[in-house]
Amino acid sequence: MASWQGRSQALPLGYRIFVVVLKRLGLTPAYALLRFVAAWYFLFSRKATRALNVYFKERLAYSRGKATRAIYRTYYLFGQTLIDKVAVMAGLNTPFTYDFDGEEWLHQMVKDGTGGLLLSAHMGNWEIAGHLLKRLKAPINVVMYDGEQEQIKAYLEKVTGGRNMKLIIIRHDLGHIFAINEALQRNELVCMHADRFLEGNKTISTQFLGKTANFPAGPFLLAASLQVPVSFVYAFKESNRHYHFFASEPVLYREGAKQERILKALQDFVMETEKKVSLYPSQWFNFYDFWKA
């Protein structure tokens, strides 16, 4: 069972410091400061570092030295994505450039007026992907756990003016299921992660990077039940100033029995995510033992 708790591990003071550096000095000094912060997490965030060791050594077959370098790089890149998120959402004058692969599929989805489900993983920069989705000029709903500490959430909303999309918060009363269904009935886009779950949630298992892992059943149940186009989307950082956005060709999961459709959606998602892991191994930001039985 995954040990993710649905909460951010960052501290409010850390966000405040980086926001001040961003506004007064810009991205480069913020990245320089981040090197020390990443080193602190590398040395003292032992539980997360052990989990990353499992990922790099056992799942990707890295040597000890290569895994050590990759772990530090993962902390550093994760910090960069947080800084970039604040910079973009706050409307700061950032010099980011972007490549787009598969964006035409999403434009066609909007043009067809069918609505659609966009599934992603905790890889790359989800906030940047959401920012780029504004190009579609269509209503977008983001499904998420409301796991950030209240102090951090309030501070970021003050700095950035809040997220610029509709939010659907996952709650125990399952109200989010009705909200998702209503959004799709309005032919809107619904974006959600498909790689994390909280204890007690229904899961479905399959092979991922050579070992069985559990995934949340909800996203794939929606894909099989609602029968709207499903695309897998990601945005990865390729340099300090450049991101690469990917979207797969939409699929309608209509063939076969319901359980078969669920498994097909899961397997397609896993295949696409494994491809992205091979390209951007240090942008897998699940800091716990993802394969823990």
Side-chain angles (χ1 to χ4, degrees):
M1 182 175 295
S3 57
W4 180 62
Q5 301 300 312
R7 294 183 63 84
S8 169
Q9 299 300 312
L11 298 175
L13 178 60
Y15 275 103
R16 292 191 182 97
I17 291 172
F18 277 105
V19 167
V20 170
V21 173
L22 268 175
K23 287 189 171 181
R24 295 186 179 181
L25 301 175
L27 276 173
T28 300
Y31 288 166
L33 175 61
L34 175 63
R35 293 196 176 276
F36 298 98
V37 177
W40 188 93
Y41 276 96
F42 175 78
L43 293 172
F44 298 109
S45 188
R46 295 179 181 178
K47 187 176 181 180
T49 297
R50 282 197 300 269
L52 289 173
N53 256 310
V54 169
Y55 165 62
F56 283 112
K57 290 182 179 179
E58 297 182 15
R59 304 277 58 83
L60 300 184
Y62 279 22
S63 66
R64 181 176 180 179
K66 186 177 180 181
T68 299
R69 293 189 295 272
I71 290 170
Y72 173 79
R73 178 168 171 78
T74 299
Y75 283 125
Y76 180 66
L77 284 171
F78 182 61
Q80 282 193 318
T81 65
L82 295 179
I83 289 172
D84 296 349
K85 158 189 167 179
V86 173
V88 169
M89 291 176 64
L92 301 181
N93 186 22
T94 53
F96 293 127
T97 58
Y98 307 97
D99 281 335
F100 297 89
D101 279 347
E103 186 188 23
E104 67 276 9
W105 299 119
L106 304 186
H107 282 289
Q108 187 62 48
M109 190 186 295
V110 172
K111 183 179 178 181
D112 291 343
T114 59
L117 192 59
L118 309 182
L119 299 184
S120 189
H122 287 81
M123 305 175 66
N125 196 327
W126 175 246
E127 296 286 355
I128 291 291
H131 173 72
L132 298 178
L133 288 173
K134 291 192 302 182
R135 293 160 55 99
L136 299 177
K137 301 186 185 304
I140 297 173
N141 302 265
V142 177
V143 182
M144 60 186 299
Y145 291 98
D146 197 18
E148 287 183 315
Q149 298 175 34
E150 287 304 315
Q151 286 178 297
I152 293 175
K153 182 181 174 184
Y155 181 68
L156 288 180
E157 287 181 351
K158 179 181 177 182
V159 170
T160 66
R163 291 179 171 89
N164 52 18
M165 299 183 182
K166 301 177 185 178
L167 293 186
I168 298 176
I169 304 301
I170 297 176
R171 304 189 189 281
H172 292 295
D173 62 5
L174 300 183
H176 58 282
I177 299 297
F178 296 103
I180 291 170
N181 192 37
E182 290 170 0
L184 292 172
Q185 288 180 348
R186 296 192 299 266
N187 299 325
E188 297 178 358
L189 299 178
V190 174
C191 312
M192 62 191 307
H193 286 118
D195 62 334
R196 284 185 189 174
F197 60 91
L198 290 174
E199 186 173 348
N201 290 165
K202 291 183 179 181
T203 61
I204 185 170
S205 302
T206 192
Q207 290 282 304
F208 177 56
L209 296 177
K211 187 176 180 180
T212 299
N214 293 328
F215 292 82
F220 309 104
L221 178 61
L222 289 171
S225 302
L226 300 180
Q227 297 192 358
V228 295
V230 179
S231 176
F232 308 121
V233 299
Y234 312 84
F236 292 99
K237 191 174 181 70
E238 293 191 330
S239 70
N240 281 351
R241 302 292 191 270
H242 187 74
Y243 276 90
H244 199 143
F245 177 86
F246 296 89
S248 67
E249 182 177 358
V251 176
L252 279 167
Y253 294 97
R254 291 177 173 172
E255 302 297 326
K258 186 174 183 179
Q259 191 61 30
E260 292 175 342
R261 300 197 303 270
I262 292 172
L263 289 173
K264 180 63 166 64
L266 171 63
Q267 289 163 1
D268 287 351
F269 172 75
V270 165
M271 181 178 66
E272 198 67 33
T273 301
E274 285 182 333
K275 290 179 183 177
K276 298 303 182 286
V277 166
S278 68
L279 293 172
Y280 307 95
S282 288
Q283 294 189 54
W284 168 258
F285 299 136
N286 282 308
F287 298 96
Y288 62 93
D289 189 352
F290 194 83
W291 292 265
K292 187 176 181 181

